[in-house]
Amino acid sequence: MAAVATRPRRSNTRIAGGLILSALALLAVCAASILLGSRTINLAALAQTDLTVILDMRVPRTVLGLLAGAALAVSGTLLQGVARNPLADPGIMGINAGAAVAVVTGILVLGRQATGASVWLAFLGAGAAIAAVYTTASFGREGATPVKLALAGVVVTAVCSSVTSAIVLADADALEELRVWQVGALAGRYWPVVLQVGPYVLVGLVAAMFLARPLNLLALGDALAISLGQHVRRNRTITFVVVAVLCGAATAACGPIAFLGLMVPHLVRLVTGPDYRWILAYSFVLGPLVLLLCDIVGRLVSAPGELQVGVVLGVVGAPVFITIVRLRRGVEL
Amino acid sequence: MFRLERRARTRRALAVTAALAVGAVCAFVVSMMLGSYVLGPGEVLRSVLGLSSDPADDFVVRELRLPRAATAVLVGLALGAAGSVFQRVLRNPLAAPDIIGISAGASTATVAGLVLFGAGGLGLSVAGLAGALATAAAVYLLAWRGGIADYRFVLVGVGVAVLLESVTGYLVSRAEISDARAAMTWLVGSVGMAGGGEIAGLAAGCAVVIPVLMALSRRLGVLELGAEGARGLGLRPQAETAVQLGCAVVLVALATAAAGPIAFVALMAGPIAGRLLGPAGDRVLASALVGSIIVQAADLVAQHVLPYPISTGIVTGLVGAPYIAWLLIRTDRQGVGA
Amino acid sequence: MSEHSLEVAGLTLGYDGADIVSGLSTDIPAGAITAIIGANASGKSTLLRGLSRLLAPRAGQVLLDGVPVHGMRSGDLARLLGLLPQSPVAPSSITVGDLVGRGRYPHQGWFRSWTPADDAAVDEALEATGTADLVSRRVADLSGGQRQRVWIAMALAQDTDILLLDEPTTFLDVNYQIEVLDLLVDLNRDRGKTIVMVLHELSLACRYADHLIAMKDGRIVTEGAPGEVVTAATVEEVFSLRCDVIADPRSGTPLVIPLGRHRLRSARE
């Protein structure tokens, strides 16, 4: 048929090329993440202490950056797609607030020895929060419409942060734990944490790959998606479960890292256009890339101390995000 | 036909607004009756109006309880009016100062003043005021691109909020524990923190800005039709947007400087007032009154329900949020309000 | 010719409150064009939503080849029955080719994503709707008529025997309305598709449909071939409109001439 020749295959090659370049850049950033820091490693003269630093600190930190970056960026993409809302983000959807409330409640009930359990508590809290958001938004005739999801997210965030505030103002230990925890960081999490959350992130990422096609159809609106044979409700629910696993795991390991999930999908769409297969593929790569870059910046700017990656991401990411918003004519999905 | 309906609407609006005003006054009086030393409504009124002869009552009412009660009223009025204006101008039910960075700006400035410069009292309030105004100006300028589009304003605001929140979090994590605690207390927001200067400033702001917004509210109805519709009806939408948002920002900044970022009031007041009023009526005044009732009621709960008093902001988040959830569940196709 | 039968048996539909369609039964003729007509709020769009299982029945059933559609697996049904809603939303910056390609979803498995068969179906859909040269344009940049043809192309790429359309001509200029309806007739003639559409424009419905279903208050007032059912009396009953019905001089189908209060040369006798 004549039309085959006119289909834009060319742009697909370009998008794929960009993906490969990004992957190469990610490799370079991983190497930098292992070598740079308050103690710069010289590969030519590798001392025993260097090896310890690399294996016990830098490598787990980098692996965690890969996992958390991919998890947050992918879950942001999934949320924006399923909520058809460019504002949807793990932070706005109540996940960070849910995790925080679980962490401080743990300290309040169990005392300081709960610190070791905060990974699991955060995981639990994040899951509960997103479940609450989804159920609240699902009531009523139309089910979980985009507007209701966004509002429900704000509601759950408000309740959780109120409880968190009430607890930390009453309990000094909880305040101490929260103020350290609430600035997300990759530092100080060693192999045990990576191994605790890694499997969940991997499972979540694999599941996310299967959601690209349903999201492409959901973008056409519920009526057409149903007409094209989608189980709209079921796929929404699955997407939310995947998001809960990914975000819960990342937040449990690093603390709340705002913004990555909001920013990366917007960045990616500039390159890929609206096809979620590409958007997700790029998010896999760009999420870790951005997160690790910010982490490296945080190590270098205030050496010998460190600036947590959550702070760097806010300060560096916000201008980037605002620029993207200004560049685009419409930010609707 | 329409005339009859309009009359019915006006009557409903008057009745609702009057009822809200009565409710706000009642809450005001009740909040000054309660405490470790319970007073009757007559004693409270006499003392507030300067007719009381009992110096003990006078001291309790005028020195101890009046500042807190007045702050609650004023903060509620300011946040309620401003919130409804934000939501309608930006045509987004999420466009509250809590979400689009204005509260975050006040918070960052205040926490920085507290942690870095050891400021206190009025100095902190000035920092909060400056932070809120500067942030609003920054969001406006960053969102400006040959005009203000509502979605762009909201998205830029969210971006700025994230930036500021991460800075605040960093400051709190680096602070001494006592400063951190003070910062957390401020960040939650409470009407018990305001001093005379803040209250006077807020009162003056409300007295000037709320009537202006009421006078402008008919134009707000036109602005809601979107930029093109508004231009078609003879309004200069960009200038109008700037004026309306500017007024609302001043209210929010003053309220936040006085009581910290009390969550959710600005988000809730507008939709509740809209629901009470139905399709017509002056939503600015009604929203302001609803806001004032919310803050006063929340503060009553915060002060008296638990064995020890908690911050007002905790209650507004805990009680307000479920209310919005209920609205969500009941809403049919469109979502809340805007 | 489409061999699939679509049958409505005692169907009751509604949203939150009262029933909108109540106890409705009819057979949709296979391989024909059926138009559902009726005044606003007569339940015609609701009926279409019921047919396409967007709305679950409160009572009764929609039977496709004798099987209730609400019990069928979504994917299976989507290969037999397609729906074009009234105002579908396209993701911003999507191209025509990509949009039409999304219609292939029901034919793709989890792992086998894009096959030559999909390519062929998309090309055919583009060709049939005359949109082949728009393939790399962005949907947002098209004119109203072009956009509607692209949406129909998407529904065609879905390659179902039965196609349901909710007011496919609304908001279109009159030349585009004719263009879209002609296209639907082509699809019916050349590919034997069963087409069911809600139409606003009565005379166009008479000309283009083989079978009319006239609805009022959630019930069928009358149904049948346009020449048989469209009379001044039925139009008055269904639309509360006094009119003359004459034969269209070019097609012979009924032409509805509304009688207003002004500008008539002579009163009806």
Side-chain angles (χ1 to χ4, degrees):
Chain A
M1 289 264 171
V4 175
T6 52
R7 183 159 313 130
R9 289 280 177 229
R10 182 178 46 83
S11 72
N12 273 359
T13 352
R14 211 190 59 202
I15 297 175
L19 189 59
I20 293 170
L21 280 184
S22 312
L24 290 176
L26 180 59
L27 276 181
V29 168
C30 286
S33 169
I34 289 172
L35 298 181
L36 298 177
S38 52
R39 178 193 182 92
T40 304
I41 310 282
N42 182 352
L43 279 181
L46 211 55
Q48 182 58 41
T49 44
D50 288 342
L51 214 57
T52 320
V53 167
I54 289 180
L55 289 181
D56 291 350
M57 297 166 74
R58 298 274 175 80
V59 173
R61 181 173 187 164
T62 307
V63 172
L64 186 60
L66 286 170
L67 291 172
L72 290 169
V74 165
S75 57
T77 304
L78 295 178
L79 269 180
Q80 290 182 10
V82 78
R84 286 204 292 274
N85 187 327
L87 281 184
D89 159 78
I92 287 180
M93 287 306 205
I95 291 161
N96 294 341
V101 82
V103 168
V104 297
T105 310
I107 302 286
L108 181 75
V109 175
L110 305 172
R112 295 226 68 154
Q113 72 265 29
T115 308
S118 52
V119 169
W120 297 119
L121 288 171
F123 204 178
L124 212 68
I130 198 164
V133 168
Y134 190 63
T135 357
T136 313
S138 300
F139 282 109
R141 187 213 281 183
E142 307 269 305
T145 56
V147 178
K148 287 204 269 175
L149 275 175
L151 280 170
V154 176
V155 168
V156 170
T157 306
V159 173
C160 290
S161 19
S162 296
V163 175
T164 305
S165 308
I167 292 173
V168 299
L169 289 180
D171 187 307
D173 283 346
L175 172 62
E176 193 53 44
E177 174 78 10
L178 178 77
R179 72 193 190 113
V180 177
W181 182 83
Q182 77 175 359
V183 181
L186 297 177
R189 278 76 169 165
Y190 306 113
W191 282 115
V193 170
V194 175
L195 296 177
Q196 265 174 324
V197 301
Y200 293 93
V201 173
L202 292 178
V203 169
L205 289 176
V206 170
M209 295 196 306
F210 291 97
L211 291 169
R213 275 157 30 89
L215 284 179
N216 270 344
L217 292 193
L218 268 183
L220 301 174
D222 288 5
L224 264 182
I226 292 174
S227 158
L228 287 167
Q230 270 238 23
H231 291 277
V232 168
R233 265 164 200 261
R234 191 187 69 188
N235 285 342
R236 275 222 181 96
T237 312
I238 294 176
T239 309
F240 265 80
V241 171
V242 173
V243 167
V245 169
L246 285 174
C247 273
T251 309
C254 310
I257 294 186
F259 222 36
L260 195 69
L262 182 68
M263 182 177 73
V264 170
H266 283 278
L267 195 66
V268 167
R269 271 193 217 96
L270 282 182
V271 187
T272 60
D275 190 334
Y276 274 97
R277 286 171 298 183
W278 285 120
I279 299 180
L280 278 173
Y282 264 84
S283 300
F284 275 118
V285 180
L286 286 194
L289 185 67
V290 172
L291 189 63
L292 283 173
L293 266 180
C294 287
D295 189 45
I296 295 171
V297 169
R299 288 182 225 169
L300 298 184
V301 285
S302 62
E306 282 200 6
L307 210 52
Q308 294 93 327
V309 69
V311 178
V312 180
L313 195 61
V315 174
V316 176
V320 174
F321 177 70
I322 290 169
T323 313
I324 299 172
V325 171
R326 284 174 57 84
L327 276 179
R328 291 171 68 100
R329 274 187 302 158
V331 196
E332 322 82 61
L333 303 181
Chain B
M1 288 292 274
F2 185 57
R3 183 141 126 238
L4 278 182
E5 196 200 312
R6 235 187 40 201
R7 254 192 229 154
R9 280 189 199 167
T10 315
R11 243 176 302 163
R12 176 171 174 182
L14 278 178
V16 167
T17 311
L20 287 173
V22 170
V25 170
C26 287
F28 181 61
V29 172
V30 168
S31 71
M32 284 190 289
M33 288 158 51
L34 299 179
S36 53
Y37 174 55
V38 179
L39 293 165
E43 291 150 315
V44 167
L45 282 176
R46 268 197 298 281
S47 182
V48 170
L49 299 172
L51 304 172
S52 168
S53 51
D54 184 342
D57 286 359
D58 253 11
F59 175 73
V60 170
V61 172
R62 300 177 70 114
E63 302 296 323
L64 296 184
R65 295 186 190 165
L66 185 58
R68 184 172 190 119
T71 311
V73 172
L74 293 168
V75 165
L77 287 173
L79 291 179
S84 84
V85 170
F86 271 114
Q87 286 165 334
R88 293 179 70 193
V89 171
L90 299 175
R91 290 186 297 167
N92 189 325
L94 287 183
D98 328 27
I99 310 276
I100 57 175
I102 298 171
S103 305
S107 303
T108 305
T110 309
V111 171
L114 191 79
V115 172
L116 300 181
F117 306 107
L122 199 59
L124 277 188
S125 300
V126 172
L129 184 66
L133 293 175
T135 309
V139 172
Y140 191 84
L141 290 178
L142 287 171
W144 180 273
R145 196 158 174 250
I148 288 291
D150 27 29
Y151 72 85
R152 204 187 312 134
F153 192 93
V154 174
L155 274 177
V156 168
V158 169
V160 169
V162 171
L163 191 159
L164 292 169
E165 275 157 16
S166 60
V167 173
T168 308
Y170 175 72
L171 288 172
V172 171
S173 75
R174 282 299 162 94
E176 301 290 323
I177 184 76
S178 61
D179 281 351
R181 204 179 144 74
M184 285 303 290
T185 310
W186 191 89
L187 286 173
V188 174
S190 171
V191 295
M193 308 189 296
E198 290 93 332
I199 298 178
L202 179 58
C206 285
V208 175
V209 178
I210 292 181
V212 171
L213 282 175
M214 282 165 62
L216 292 176
S217 79
R218 216 151 47 96
R219 300 212 208 157
L220 187 55
V222 178
L223 204 57
E224 267 185 320
L225 302 174
E228 284 172 17
R231 188 167 286 129
L233 289 166
L235 211 64
R236 286 165 49 222
Q238 296 302 341
E240 196 62 29
T241 304
V243 171
Q244 300 258 5
L245 289 183
C247 289
V249 165
V250 169
L251 286 180
V252 172
L254 288 168
T256 312
I262 294 186
F264 242 69
V265 178
L267 202 64
M268 283 188 293
I272 296 177
R275 190 158 277 246
L276 290 174
L277 283 177
D282 186 348
R283 270 204 238 166
V284 173
L285 184 57
S287 305
L289 290 169
V290 168
S292 133
I293 293 177
I294 293 173
V295 175
Q296 296 191 68
D299 197 46
L300 278 176
V301 172
Q303 289 294 298
H304 304 298
V305 168
L306 289 182
Y308 59 94
I310 55 176
S311 299
T312 327
I314 293 177
V315 179
T316 56
L318 270 182
V319 179
Y323 177 74
I324 289 280
W326 178 74
L327 271 188
L328 283 174
I329 293 166
R330 293 210 23 190
T331 309
D332 274 346
R333 295 185 181 205
Q334 297 297 327
V336 177
Chain C
M1 270 290 153
S2 166
E3 286 151 18
H4 297 287
S5 75
L6 190 60
E7 182 189 341
V8 180
L11 187 65
T12 299
L13 299 165
Y15 300 96
D16 291 335
D19 295 341
I20 310 242
V21 167
S22 36
L24 188 146
S25 299
T26 184
D27 276 328
I28 306 288
I33 298 183
T34 300
I36 307 174
I37 58 171
N40 288 330
S42 59
K44 52 191 193 308
S45 286
T46 308
L47 174 59
L48 203 74
R49 286 171 70 88
L51 288 178
S52 57
R53 54 81 172 79
L54 289 182
L55 202 56
R58 287 185 173 171
Q61 284 172 334
V62 176
L63 301 166
L64 179 62
D65 298 331
V67 183
V69 295
H70 279 91
M72 288 178 72
R73 293 183 38 170
S74 293
D76 295 343
L77 184 56
R79 285 191 290 274
L80 297 175
L81 185 149
L83 168 80
L84 187 57
Q86 194 176 0
S87 29
V89 276
S92 66
S93 81
I94 194 169
T95 62
V96 168
D98 284 338
L99 183 66
V100 175
R102 289 199 184 172
R104 293 302 296 164
Y105 173 81
H107 299 276
Q108 295 165 346
W110 279 112
F111 295 100
R112 185 182 58 93
S113 55
W114 193 263
T115 63
D118 293 327
D119 266 332
V122 169
D123 287 340
E124 208 182 319
L126 291 168
E127 206 99 319
T129 51
T131 47
D133 42 342
L134 303 176
V135 67
S136 9
R137 298 267 299 275
R138 283 154 41 114
V139 175
D141 299 336
L142 303 180
S143 74
Q146 288 172 326
R147 205 174 303 164
Q148 191 64 1
R149 281 188 288 154
V150 168
W151 281 111
I152 292 178
M154 197 210 81
L156 277 186
Q158 191 177 344
D159 195 18
T160 58
D161 276 333
I162 304 171
L163 189 53
L164 310 179
L165 304 100
D166 194 354
E167 307 223 12
T169 59
T170 312
F171 306 124
L172 295 184
D173 284 344
V174 64
N175 54 329
Y176 292 134
Q177 294 185 23
I178 300 296
E179 195 177 288
V180 165
L181 290 170
D182 277 340
L183 169 63
L184 293 177
V185 173
D186 289 342
L187 298 175
N188 171 253
R189 295 254 170 86
D190 304 345
R191 290 151 211 255
K193 290 195 188 299
T194 303
I195 291 178
V196 185
M197 57 187 166
V198 170
L199 268 192
H200 230 85
E201 175 63 45
L202 198 47
S203 293
L204 287 180
C206 290
R207 176 182 288 190
Y208 282 98
D210 305 309
H211 186 83
L212 282 187
I213 297 178
M215 290 185 65
K216 186 179 186 182
D217 299 332
R219 286 170 221 283
I220 294 182
V221 176
T222 177
E223 59 177 316
E228 294 159 21
V229 299
V230 176
T231 62
T234 41
V235 173
E236 177 147 12
E237 186 184 352
V238 173
F239 290 96
S240 310
L241 172 77
R242 289 198 313 127
C243 66
D244 284 343
V245 176
I246 61 172
D248 185 328
R250 300 303 293 269
S251 62
T253 52
L255 187 60
V256 176
I257 313 284
L259 299 177
R261 289 184 300 111
H262 294 296
R263 302 221 168 221
L264 299 172
R265 261 202 299 215
S266 63
R268 212 157 38 150
E269 55 274 62

